[in-house]
Amino acid sequence: MTGLGYPEYILTILGFWKLMAVIAILIPRFPRLKEWAYAGFFFELSGAAASHILNGDSLALAAQPLVFLALVMASWALRPRSRKLVS
């Protein structure tokens, strides 16, 4: 993280919110909270990939968060109907 120019305390903040997002996705009900959790994962992982690219890191380092982003997007797209936000 320091190589990307971020302070180390960001790891604690991101770790806490990632844990909260996982809990939100796994618990039943609360479809709006699940949408926010998926959105948070999307912003965090796409931002991680952009940070690596803009920092001049190798493509392999930038691809790692993109692989996890693909998994998150697949999880979002393939979730059961009961967990989807209906408007």
Side-chain angles (χ1 to χ4, degrees):
M1 289 296 281
T2 55
L4 293 173
Y6 297 109
E8 287 187 33
Y9 66 83
I10 293 293
L11 290 171
T12 304
I13 295 169
L14 288 176
F16 172 78
W17 286 113
K18 282 182 183 181
L19 181 61
M20 294 296 105
V22 167
I23 291 169
I25 289 171
L26 292 178
I27 61 172
R29 297 187 303 264
F30 306 108
R32 188 170 311 274
L33 185 60
K34 292 179 190 315
E35 291 290 325
W36 278 100
Y38 279 115
F41 276 126
F42 178 85
F43 293 131
E44 191 270 332
L45 291 168
S46 61
S51 292
H52 282 294
I53 291 168
L54 295 172
N55 194 46
D57 292 339
S58 70
L59 201 54
L61 280 177
Q64 290 173 0
L66 292 176
V67 168
F68 286 108
L69 180 58
L71 293 172
V72 167
M73 291 172 64
S75 172
W76 177 82
L78 300 172
R79 69 195 188 283
R81 184 176 182 90
S82 63
R83 293 190 173 203
K84 291 183 180 181
L85 184 62
V86 179
S87 53

